[in-house]
Amino acid sequence: MSNMPSTETVVACCPPLTERPLTVEEAERTAAMFKALGDPVRLRLFSLVASHEGGEACVCDISDVGVSQPTVSHHLKKLREAGLLSSERRGTWVYYRVEPTVMAMMGRLLA
């Protein structure tokens, strides 16, 4: 089984917004994640993966979001590049999961 790595690793980076101003690096990293989620199709794909039983979803289970398969692949790639999802190829299918620190980091940031 080969992992398809994201181009960035999510780091529990940021304190709550009410605690202190973000550094330039923290703001850039966080903005990239929110930008990736700013597209309705990407947000839907992210929520499908996050809410899927077992915490991971095969691309075959989440590709019915009203766009073509190449567009789904493009959006999933953008979510991986933003560090929101990780993926693993198993045979002919790719399985996606939300990076473990993402939900806690986003919740902490907005708390």
XYZ file of all heavy atoms in Angstrom:
844
model
N 0.838 -1.181 0.000
C 0.000 0.000 0.000
C 0.876 1.234 0.000
O 1.710 1.402 0.874
C -0.887 0.021 1.235
C -1.935 -1.043 1.261
S -2.989 -0.812 2.697
C -3.141 -2.494 3.193
N 0.652 2.068 -0.960
C 1.474 3.271 -1.013
C 0.656 4.485 -0.639
O -0.471 4.635 -1.068
C 2.058 3.440 -2.418
O 1.027 3.644 -3.341
N 1.235 5.320 0.182
C 0.578 6.561 0.559
C 0.853 7.603 -0.506
O 1.935 7.673 -1.041
C 1.094 7.082 1.905
C 0.566 6.251 3.041
O -0.512 5.694 2.948
N 1.331 6.170 4.099
N -0.152 8.420 -0.790
C 0.015 9.543 -1.695
C 0.120 10.762 -0.797
O -0.881 11.249 -0.301
C -1.174 9.646 -2.636
C -1.329 8.430 -3.526
S -2.887 8.365 -4.413
C -2.954 9.937 -5.211
N 1.334 11.255 -0.520
C 1.509 12.308 0.480
C 0.945 13.638 0.015
O 0.902 13.943 -1.160
C 3.021 12.392 0.649
C 3.574 11.898 -0.643
C 2.598 10.871 -1.152
N 0.494 14.416 0.996
C 0.110 15.790 0.699
C 1.383 16.605 0.577
O 2.442 16.215 1.043
C -0.789 16.349 1.799
O -0.092 16.397 3.010
N 1.275 17.776 -0.064
C 2.453 18.589 -0.248
C 2.794 19.381 1.002
O 3.881 19.893 1.141
C 2.284 19.552 -1.439
O 1.122 20.336 -1.196
C 2.154 18.790 -2.740
N 1.850 19.494 1.915
C 2.089 20.189 3.174
C 1.613 19.311 4.314
O 0.680 18.554 4.168
C 1.307 21.501 3.223
C 1.765 22.522 2.225
C 1.013 23.826 2.363
O 0.614 24.163 3.500
O 0.846 24.497 1.358
N 2.254 19.440 5.429
C 1.830 18.713 6.608
C 1.118 19.682 7.530
O 1.582 20.777 7.769
C 3.049 18.112 7.341
O 3.721 17.249 6.431
C 2.617 17.348 8.563
N -0.034 19.241 8.023
C -0.785 20.092 8.941
C -0.114 20.028 10.294
O 0.204 18.965 10.804
C -2.244 19.622 9.059
C -2.969 20.385 10.134
C -2.940 19.790 7.728
N 0.131 21.166 10.851
C 0.736 21.279 12.166
C -0.265 22.006 13.048
O -0.901 22.960 12.616
C 2.053 22.073 12.095
C 2.665 22.230 13.462
C 3.030 21.416 11.131
N -0.415 21.527 14.277
C -1.274 22.247 15.216
C -0.622 23.606 15.431
O 0.219 23.782 16.282
C -1.409 21.473 16.512
N -1.036 24.551 14.590
C -0.235 25.761 14.430
C -0.673 26.942 15.253
O 0.154 27.771 15.598
C -0.245 26.178 12.964
S -1.835 26.811 12.413
N -1.936 27.042 15.466
C -2.415 28.369 15.824
C -3.209 28.387 17.122
O -4.016 27.510 17.374
C -3.291 28.906 14.711
S -2.513 28.796 13.102
N -2.995 29.433 17.893
C -3.806 29.617 19.097
C -5.190 30.126 18.690
O -5.381 30.530 17.541
C -3.040 30.691 19.867
C -2.417 31.507 18.777
C -2.043 30.512 17.713
N -6.136 30.138 19.596
C -7.430 30.748 19.274
C -7.232 32.180 18.781
O -6.326 32.889 19.243
C -8.177 30.716 20.605
C -7.545 29.597 21.370
C -6.101 29.598 20.948
N -8.058 32.603 17.860
C -7.920 33.945 17.289
C -8.044 35.043 18.332
O -7.511 36.132 18.156
C -8.958 34.150 16.187
C -8.759 33.305 14.934
C -9.924 33.509 13.974
C -7.442 33.633 14.261
N -8.720 34.749 19.419
C -8.893 35.751 20.471
C -7.708 35.814 21.428
O -7.635 36.704 22.264
C -10.166 35.453 21.283
O -10.064 34.125 21.810
C -11.411 35.575 20.418
N -6.770 34.878 21.304
C -5.614 34.825 22.217
C -4.511 35.798 21.821
O -3.944 36.490 22.659
C -5.067 33.400 22.266
C -3.991 33.186 23.295
C -3.587 31.735 23.366
O -4.461 30.896 23.677
O -2.397 31.444 23.096
N -4.165 35.812 20.529
C -3.117 36.701 20.025
C -3.227 36.743 18.509
O -3.819 35.862 17.894
C -1.736 36.235 20.454
C -1.305 34.922 19.812
C 0.195 34.679 19.974
N 0.569 33.350 19.549
C 0.759 32.974 18.282
N 0.570 33.814 17.292
N 1.108 31.732 17.994
N -2.624 37.747 17.906
C -2.625 37.791 16.435
C -1.806 36.630 15.873
O -0.820 36.199 16.478
C -1.956 39.125 16.111
C -2.020 39.922 17.364
C -2.021 38.943 18.501
N -2.207 36.161 14.707
C -1.456 35.102 14.034
C -0.171 35.672 13.456
O -0.128 36.834 13.031
C -2.289 34.500 12.897
C -3.597 33.827 13.270
C -4.323 33.380 12.009
C -3.358 32.652 14.195
N 0.862 34.837 13.413
C 2.080 35.219 12.720
C 1.817 35.122 11.216
O 0.801 34.552 10.782
C 3.252 34.290 13.087
O 2.963 32.982 12.570
C 3.494 34.251 14.584
N 2.726 35.633 10.425
C 2.583 35.558 8.973
C 2.478 34.098 8.531
O 1.610 33.738 7.732
C 3.770 36.261 8.267
C 3.752 35.998 6.774
C 3.755 37.746 8.557
N 3.347 33.241 9.059
C 3.351 31.828 8.682
C 2.049 31.138 9.091
O 1.487 30.347 8.337
C 4.550 31.092 9.301
C 5.895 31.552 8.783
C 6.387 32.847 9.454
O 5.893 33.222 10.553
O 7.252 33.510 8.863
N 1.585 31.408 10.306
C 0.324 30.816 10.767
C -0.840 31.267 9.897
O -1.699 30.463 9.532
C 0.059 31.205 12.224
C 1.001 30.574 13.218
C 0.895 31.193 14.606
O 0.379 32.327 14.755
O 1.347 30.531 15.562
N -0.860 32.532 9.554
C -1.945 33.061 8.724
C -1.918 32.444 7.326
O -2.971 32.089 6.781
C -1.850 34.578 8.645
N -0.736 32.281 6.750
C -0.623 31.687 5.423
C -1.081 30.234 5.423
O -1.825 29.799 4.545
C 0.804 31.792 4.901
C 1.180 33.210 4.508
C 2.645 33.368 4.150
O 3.434 32.402 4.292
O 3.004 34.481 3.722
N -0.655 29.473 6.421
C -1.020 28.059 6.520
C -2.524 27.909 6.734
O -3.179 27.089 6.098
C -0.222 27.433 7.674
C -0.213 25.944 7.672
C 0.815 25.333 8.626
N 0.979 26.003 9.893
C 2.124 26.541 10.321
N 3.199 26.494 9.590
N 2.193 27.108 11.505
N -3.085 28.725 7.606
C -4.505 28.655 7.909
C -5.346 29.126 6.731
O -6.367 28.522 6.400
C -4.816 29.481 9.167
O -3.991 28.988 10.231
C -6.268 29.350 9.574
N -4.915 30.176 6.070
C -5.643 30.695 4.911
C -5.704 29.657 3.795
O -6.734 29.522 3.118
C -5.003 31.980 4.410
N -4.631 28.905 3.597
C -4.618 27.866 2.562
C -5.679 26.803 2.856
O -6.362 26.328 1.944
C -3.231 27.231 2.462
N -5.832 26.445 4.121
C -6.845 25.458 4.484
C -8.250 26.010 4.261
O -9.101 25.353 3.667
C -6.673 25.012 5.939
C -5.440 24.180 6.131
S -5.208 23.424 7.764
C -6.289 24.254 8.828
N -8.493 27.232 4.722
C -9.820 27.816 4.550
C -10.118 28.105 3.082
O -11.259 27.979 2.646
C -9.990 29.059 5.415
C -10.224 28.727 6.863
C -9.300 29.099 7.821
C -11.359 28.034 7.270
C -9.506 28.782 9.164
C -11.567 27.715 8.601
C -10.643 28.085 9.550
N -9.105 28.465 2.314
C -9.303 28.685 0.876
C -9.739 27.382 0.213
O -10.651 27.379 -0.611
C -8.021 29.205 0.233
C -8.172 29.476 -1.245
C -6.892 30.037 -1.837
C -7.068 30.298 -3.324
N -5.838 30.795 -3.924
N -9.092 26.276 0.582
C -9.471 24.981 0.021
C -10.909 24.633 0.381
O -11.643 24.064 -0.427
C -8.521 23.891 0.510
N -11.340 24.984 1.576
C -12.705 24.694 2.014
C -13.708 25.725 1.515
O -14.908 25.540 1.678
C -12.765 24.614 3.541
C -12.054 23.425 4.165
C -12.057 23.545 5.682
C -12.683 22.116 3.717
N -13.231 26.802 0.892
C -14.105 27.862 0.421
C -14.907 27.503 -0.816
O -15.817 28.224 -1.200
N -14.590 26.399 -1.438
C -15.343 25.921 -2.599
C -16.415 24.955 -2.118
O -16.111 24.023 -1.373
C -14.383 25.226 -3.572
C -15.088 24.732 -4.804
O -15.748 23.673 -4.732
O -14.979 25.404 -5.843
N -17.678 25.135 -2.533
C -18.754 24.258 -2.047
C -18.536 22.778 -2.340
O -18.859 21.924 -1.500
C -20.005 24.775 -2.759
C -19.678 26.150 -3.190
C -18.186 26.208 -3.391
N -17.981 22.450 -3.504
C -17.740 21.032 -3.821
C -16.667 20.475 -2.898
O -16.802 19.367 -2.365
C -17.350 20.846 -5.308
C -16.931 19.405 -5.586
C -18.512 21.247 -6.214
N -15.612 21.236 -2.667
C -14.551 20.763 -1.758
C -15.062 20.620 -0.337
O -14.729 19.659 0.355
C -13.360 21.724 -1.783
C -12.582 21.650 -3.058
C -11.344 22.502 -2.993
N -10.943 22.782 -4.359
C -10.431 23.919 -4.768
N -10.205 24.902 -3.918
N -10.103 24.089 -6.024
N -15.849 21.575 0.108
C -16.411 21.484 1.454
C -17.287 20.254 1.582
O -17.236 19.541 2.582
C -17.194 22.757 1.795
C -17.769 22.840 3.204
C -16.678 22.689 4.256
C -18.505 24.159 3.385
N -18.064 19.978 0.547
C -18.915 18.778 0.580
C -18.069 17.504 0.594
O -18.344 16.579 1.355
C -19.851 18.784 -0.628
C -20.838 17.664 -0.571
C -22.113 17.976 -1.302
N -23.015 16.854 -1.170
C -23.538 16.212 -2.197
N -23.310 16.620 -3.421
N -24.319 15.189 -1.993
N -17.035 17.446 -0.246
C -16.154 16.279 -0.250
C -15.485 16.093 1.112
O -15.407 14.974 1.630
C -15.089 16.404 -1.350
C -15.583 16.204 -2.777
C -14.525 16.662 -3.776
C -15.965 14.752 -3.020
N -15.011 17.192 1.694
C -14.382 17.132 3.015
C -15.373 16.584 4.046
O -15.025 15.717 4.849
C -13.885 18.522 3.411
C -13.151 18.550 4.723
C -11.842 18.129 4.812
C -13.778 19.012 5.873
C -11.155 18.159 6.018
C -13.105 19.050 7.080
C -11.796 18.619 7.159
N -16.612 17.063 4.007
C -17.599 16.597 4.982
C -17.987 15.141 4.735
O -18.247 14.400 5.684
C -18.841 17.491 4.984
O -19.657 17.252 3.861
N -18.004 14.721 3.475
C -18.286 13.311 3.179
C -17.210 12.404 3.748
O -17.507 11.351 4.317
C -18.419 13.103 1.666
C -19.707 13.607 1.034
C -19.579 13.655 -0.483
C -20.878 12.727 1.446
N -15.959 12.810 3.612
C -14.862 12.012 4.164
C -14.915 12.045 5.685
O -14.845 11.001 6.347
C -13.488 12.508 3.657
C -12.352 11.797 4.382
C -13.374 12.310 2.148
N -15.053 13.231 6.258
C -15.029 13.377 7.725
C -16.151 12.599 8.389
O -15.971 12.063 9.480
C -15.120 14.859 8.094
N -17.301 12.534 7.752
C -18.453 11.882 8.381
C -18.626 10.429 7.965
O -19.526 9.747 8.459
C -19.736 12.651 8.036
O -19.993 12.590 6.642
N -17.763 9.945 7.093
C -17.904 8.564 6.619
C -17.571 7.580 7.733
O -16.680 7.816 8.545
C -16.985 8.332 5.413
C -17.418 7.196 4.558
N -16.993 5.915 4.768
C -18.250 7.160 3.500
C -17.536 5.118 3.869
N -18.302 5.860 3.079
N -18.298 6.491 7.759
C -18.081 5.452 8.773
C -16.625 4.995 8.759
O -16.048 4.751 7.708
C -18.993 4.261 8.484
C -18.927 3.185 9.532
C -19.901 2.044 9.250
O -20.890 2.268 8.548
O -19.633 0.942 9.747
N -16.031 4.932 9.929
C -14.648 4.503 10.056
C -13.630 5.604 9.831
O -12.438 5.365 9.899
N -14.098 6.795 9.498
C -13.202 7.919 9.354
C -12.437 7.990 8.054
O -11.545 8.821 7.904
N -12.740 7.106 7.122
C -12.123 7.173 5.814
C -13.141 6.758 4.765
O -14.103 6.054 5.061
C -10.867 6.311 5.721
C -11.118 4.828 5.748
C -9.849 4.010 5.562
O -8.738 4.566 5.548
O -9.975 2.800 5.421
N -12.933 7.240 3.542
C -13.878 6.954 2.477
C -13.137 6.653 1.185
O -12.150 7.305 0.858
C -14.809 8.138 2.271
N -13.639 5.667 0.485
C -13.132 5.347 -0.844
C -13.651 6.413 -1.798
O -14.787 6.882 -1.670
C -13.647 3.976 -1.259
S -13.231 3.521 -2.958
N -12.832 6.779 -2.764
C -13.278 7.764 -3.744
C -14.547 7.288 -4.437
O -15.390 8.102 -4.819
C -12.149 8.103 -4.750
C -11.864 6.940 -5.674
C -12.492 9.354 -5.530
N -14.731 5.985 -4.535
C -15.940 5.447 -5.169
C -17.193 5.758 -4.353
O -18.297 5.782 -4.896
C -15.809 3.944 -5.381
S -15.558 2.983 -3.870
N -17.045 6.028 -3.052
C -18.190 6.325 -2.183
C -18.521 7.809 -2.104
O -19.576 8.170 -1.597
C -17.909 5.833 -0.752
C -17.791 4.328 -0.673
O -18.473 3.629 -1.448
O -17.010 3.854 0.170
N -17.627 8.663 -2.560
C -17.840 10.100 -2.362
C -17.834 10.886 -3.661
O -17.855 12.112 -3.636
C -16.773 10.689 -1.410
C -15.369 10.479 -1.968
C -16.911 10.126 -0.010
C -14.280 11.206 -1.215
N -17.823 10.228 -4.807
C -17.657 10.947 -6.065
C -18.953 11.490 -6.648
O -18.928 12.206 -7.639
C -16.929 10.079 -7.085
O -17.597 8.863 -7.261
N -20.098 11.195 -6.034
C -21.377 11.689 -6.547
C -21.723 13.027 -5.901
O -22.565 13.115 -5.016
C -22.480 10.656 -6.300
C -23.793 11.058 -6.945
O -23.775 11.904 -7.859
O -24.843 10.538 -6.519
N -21.032 14.084 -6.351
C -21.256 15.421 -5.792
C -21.661 16.421 -6.874
O -21.550 17.625 -6.694
C -20.017 15.932 -5.015
C -19.800 15.138 -3.744
C -18.781 15.920 -5.892
N -22.124 15.893 -8.004
C -22.646 16.761 -9.049
C -21.631 17.300 -10.028
O -21.951 18.195 -10.809
N -20.411 16.787 -9.986
C -19.389 17.181 -10.953
C -18.752 15.915 -11.517
O -18.921 14.824 -10.978
C -18.313 18.102 -10.324
C -18.920 19.413 -9.861
C -17.599 17.415 -9.174
N -18.005 16.062 -12.616
C -17.385 14.908 -13.261
C -16.275 14.308 -12.395
O -15.740 14.969 -11.498
C -16.801 15.321 -14.616
O -15.706 16.198 -14.426
N -15.908 13.061 -12.690
C -14.851 12.384 -11.928
C -13.527 13.129 -11.997
O -12.855 13.284 -10.969
C -14.690 10.934 -12.390
C -13.609 10.166 -11.642
C -13.790 10.178 -10.129
O -14.866 9.912 -9.636
N -12.734 10.515 -9.403
N -13.108 13.657 -13.158
C -11.858 14.426 -13.163
C -11.929 15.657 -12.259
O -10.937 16.022 -11.625
C -11.690 14.825 -14.637
C -12.424 13.774 -15.393
C -13.608 13.426 -14.525
N -13.097 16.277 -12.168
C -13.251 17.447 -11.297
C -13.194 17.036 -9.835
O -12.588 17.729 -9.015
C -14.561 18.198 -11.621
O -14.537 18.561 -13.009
C -14.713 19.444 -10.781
N -13.788 15.893 -9.506
C -13.690 15.371 -8.140
C -12.225 15.132 -7.792
O -11.761 15.530 -6.725
C -14.508 14.068 -7.967
C -14.172 13.368 -6.652
C -16.004 14.362 -8.050
N -11.486 14.518 -8.690
C -10.063 14.253 -8.449
C -9.293 15.554 -8.235
O -8.428 15.637 -7.356
C -9.456 13.482 -9.622
O -10.031 12.203 -9.703
N -9.607 16.566 -9.032
C -8.961 17.870 -8.882
C -9.230 18.452 -7.492
O -8.309 18.923 -6.814
C -9.465 18.832 -9.961
C -9.108 20.260 -9.710
N -7.840 20.762 -9.922
C -9.846 21.290 -9.238
C -7.824 22.040 -9.591
N -9.020 22.390 -9.183
N -10.486 18.415 -7.066
C -10.844 18.977 -5.759
C -10.210 18.188 -4.618
O -9.739 18.778 -3.635
C -12.360 19.026 -5.595
C -13.014 20.101 -6.412
N -12.638 21.426 -6.357
C -14.030 20.045 -7.300
C -13.389 22.139 -7.166
N -14.244 21.327 -7.766
N -10.171 16.869 -4.730
C -9.524 16.061 -3.695
C -8.028 16.361 -3.637
O -7.447 16.421 -2.544
C -9.774 14.573 -3.941
C -11.205 14.107 -3.681
C -11.409 12.697 -4.221
C -11.547 14.183 -2.199
N -7.418 16.592 -4.783
C -6.004 16.968 -4.814
C -5.785 18.289 -4.087
O -4.842 18.434 -3.297
C -5.520 17.076 -6.260
C -4.081 17.520 -6.388
C -3.689 17.694 -7.841
C -2.283 18.266 -7.925
N -1.944 18.625 -9.298
N -6.645 19.257 -4.313
C -6.526 20.552 -3.639
C -6.673 20.402 -2.124
O -5.960 21.052 -1.357
C -7.553 21.551 -4.174
C -7.309 21.958 -5.603
C -6.003 22.708 -5.717
C -5.760 23.216 -7.117
N -4.475 23.890 -7.242
N -7.580 19.538 -1.679
C -7.753 19.291 -0.246
C -6.513 18.618 0.337
O -6.098 18.928 1.455
C -9.010 18.451 0.010
C -10.329 19.166 -0.258
C -11.483 18.163 -0.266
C -10.578 20.264 0.760
N -5.903 17.703 -0.429
C -4.651 17.073 0.028
C -3.529 18.094 0.088
O -2.766 18.131 1.055
C -4.251 15.914 -0.899
C -4.972 14.625 -0.634
C -4.364 13.401 -1.321
N -3.405 13.645 -2.357
C -3.667 13.686 -3.673
N -4.895 13.508 -4.102
N -2.702 13.889 -4.544
N -3.403 18.924 -0.943
C -2.332 19.925 -0.967
C -2.456 20.922 0.180
O -1.453 21.420 0.681
C -2.347 20.671 -2.297
C -1.868 19.834 -3.449
C -2.010 20.522 -4.801
O -2.698 21.564 -4.902
O -1.421 20.002 -5.767
N -3.684 21.193 0.603
C -3.903 22.112 1.729
C -3.664 21.426 3.072
O -3.735 22.070 4.115
C -5.319 22.681 1.665
N -3.380 20.123 3.045
C -3.111 19.398 4.280
C -4.350 18.950 5.015
O -4.270 18.525 6.166
N -5.508 19.024 4.368
C -6.759 18.655 5.032
C -7.040 17.160 4.958
O -7.643 16.595 5.868
C -7.930 19.426 4.410
C -7.850 20.935 4.609
C -8.832 21.638 3.694
C -8.107 21.289 6.058
N -6.640 16.518 3.877
C -6.875 15.091 3.682
C -5.555 14.379 3.420
O -4.611 14.970 2.895
C -7.783 14.848 2.467
C -9.201 15.362 2.500
C -9.908 15.028 1.179
C -9.975 14.809 3.673
N -5.534 13.110 3.771
C -4.457 12.233 3.333
C -5.113 11.119 2.533
O -6.333 10.922 2.613
C -3.669 11.672 4.523
O -4.518 10.951 5.372
N -4.319 10.411 1.757
C -4.893 9.371 0.910
C -3.980 8.161 0.852
O -2.784 8.251 1.125
C -5.144 9.913 -0.495
O -3.935 10.309 -1.080
N -4.591 7.047 0.496
C -3.856 5.791 0.364
C -4.484 4.987 -0.760
O -5.701 4.827 -0.811
C -3.956 5.008 1.676
C -3.233 3.699 1.668
C -3.374 2.960 2.993
O -3.755 3.580 4.001
O -3.109 1.757 3.006
N -3.652 4.524 -1.675
C -4.135 3.691 -2.769
C -4.193 2.242 -2.296
O -3.245 1.728 -1.725
C -3.221 3.806 -3.983
C -3.714 2.958 -5.152
C -2.964 3.240 -6.417
N -3.190 4.569 -6.925
C -4.274 4.970 -7.598
N -5.251 4.114 -7.822
N -4.380 6.210 -8.038
N -5.334 1.622 -2.547
C -5.522 0.198 -2.248
C -6.080 -0.455 -3.501
O -7.257 -0.290 -3.814
C -6.496 0.000 -1.089
C -6.018 0.591 0.210
C -7.013 0.365 1.307
N -6.705 1.222 2.448
C -7.579 1.548 3.377
N -8.823 1.097 3.317
N -7.230 2.329 4.374
N -5.230 -1.166 -4.199
C -5.652 -1.748 -5.471
C -5.955 -0.638 -6.454
O -5.133 0.231 -6.698
N -7.172 -0.639 -6.993
C -7.542 0.378 -7.975
C -8.208 1.594 -7.355
O -8.465 2.573 -8.039
C -8.490 -0.209 -9.035
O -9.652 -0.711 -8.386
C -7.813 -1.320 -9.816
N -8.497 1.552 -6.056
C -9.211 2.652 -5.401
C -8.300 3.452 -4.491
O -7.337 2.926 -3.938
C -10.387 2.121 -4.578
C -11.430 1.468 -5.434
C -11.714 0.134 -5.497
C -12.305 2.102 -6.362
N -12.713 -0.091 -6.401
C -13.097 1.103 -6.953
C -12.495 3.421 -6.763
C -14.066 1.386 -7.915
C -13.449 3.706 -7.715
C -14.225 2.687 -8.274
N -8.647 4.701 -4.312
C -7.929 5.570 -3.386
C -8.867 5.869 -2.218
O -10.036 6.194 -2.429
C -7.482 6.886 -4.069
C -6.800 7.795 -3.060
C -6.556 6.582 -5.242
N -8.353 5.724 -1.012
C -9.118 6.001 0.203
C -8.601 7.295 0.824
O -7.396 7.518 0.885
C -8.972 4.849 1.203
C -9.735 3.622 0.777
C -9.245 2.777 -0.205
C -10.975 3.330 1.339
C -9.959 1.657 -0.615
C -11.700 2.217 0.935
C -11.177 1.394 -0.045
O -11.905 0.301 -0.450
N -9.523 8.117 1.281
C -9.196 9.411 1.868
C -9.605 9.442 3.323
O -10.589 8.819 3.717
C -9.919 10.543 1.114
C -9.396 10.706 -0.280
C -9.924 9.974 -1.335
C -8.336 11.568 -0.532
C -9.420 10.110 -2.616
C -7.828 11.708 -1.814
C -8.383 10.969 -2.852
O -7.869 11.104 -4.106
N -8.833 10.185 4.116
C -9.181 10.415 5.520
C -8.777 11.837 5.875
O -7.845 12.391 5.288
C -8.534 9.392 6.442
C -7.051 9.521 6.652
C -6.416 8.299 7.304
N -6.474 7.096 6.518
C -5.773 6.851 5.402
N -4.979 7.767 4.924
N -5.873 5.724 4.756
N -9.488 12.403 6.836
C -9.145 13.735 7.317
C -7.882 13.597 8.149
O -7.759 12.680 8.965
C -10.300 14.331 8.160
C -9.889 15.651 8.798
C -11.544 14.512 7.294
N -6.928 14.481 7.922
C -5.709 14.469 8.718
C -6.094 14.586 10.195
O -6.962 15.390 10.546
C -4.791 15.627 8.321
C -3.977 15.344 7.085
C -2.958 14.239 7.283
O -2.428 14.075 8.399
O -2.704 13.528 6.304
N -5.489 13.790 11.057
C -5.908 13.721 12.459
C -5.932 15.050 13.206
O -6.788 15.270 14.037
C -4.892 12.767 13.094
C -4.294 12.015 11.972
C -4.396 12.880 10.757
N -5.019 15.942 12.917
C -4.951 17.186 13.674
C -5.841 18.297 13.127
O -6.037 19.311 13.787
C -3.492 17.710 13.711
O -3.063 17.935 12.366
C -2.584 16.740 14.419
N -6.397 18.097 11.942
C -7.120 19.173 11.268
C -8.344 19.648 12.036
O -8.508 20.842 12.275
C -7.530 18.746 9.836
C -8.545 19.695 9.246
C -6.310 18.678 8.950
N -9.225 18.738 12.394
C -10.473 19.143 13.056
C -10.177 19.822 14.401
O -10.761 20.861 14.700
C -11.392 17.946 13.259
C -11.792 17.282 11.964
S -12.765 18.327 10.908
C -14.375 17.738 11.310
N -9.257 19.259 15.167
C -8.928 19.854 16.466
C -8.294 21.225 16.279
O -8.623 22.177 17.005
C -7.982 18.945 17.242
N -7.415 21.358 15.291
C -6.752 22.637 15.048
C -7.750 23.694 14.616
O -7.735 24.814 15.123
C -5.654 22.466 13.993
C -4.731 23.669 13.844
S -5.303 25.002 12.769
C -5.538 24.174 11.235
N -8.656 23.356 13.702
C -9.635 24.330 13.238
C -10.592 24.714 14.378
O -10.930 25.882 14.526
C -10.404 23.815 12.028
C -9.560 23.839 10.772
S -10.484 23.655 9.225
C -11.190 22.054 9.376
N -10.994 23.732 15.167
C -11.859 24.021 16.302
C -11.177 24.911 17.323
O -11.788 25.858 17.842
N -9.917 24.639 17.588
C -9.171 25.458 18.561
C -8.992 26.884 18.050
O -9.129 27.844 18.776
C -7.825 24.819 18.841
C -7.003 25.591 19.858
C -5.755 24.823 20.278
N -5.110 25.576 21.337
C -3.951 26.210 21.183
N -3.310 26.158 20.050
N -3.445 26.885 22.170
N -8.685 26.995 16.766
C -8.476 28.312 16.169
C -9.724 29.173 16.291
O -9.647 30.356 16.617
C -8.093 28.154 14.689
C -7.915 29.427 13.890
C -6.630 30.133 14.318
C -7.891 29.128 12.408
N -10.874 28.589 16.069
C -12.125 29.347 16.072
C -12.790 29.417 17.447
O -13.802 30.093 17.595
C -13.097 28.754 15.061
C -12.615 28.815 13.599
C -13.551 28.057 12.699
C -12.423 30.246 13.153
N -12.212 28.726 18.424
C -12.802 28.721 19.776
C -12.722 30.082 20.421
O -11.872 30.876 20.176
C -12.090 27.695 20.652
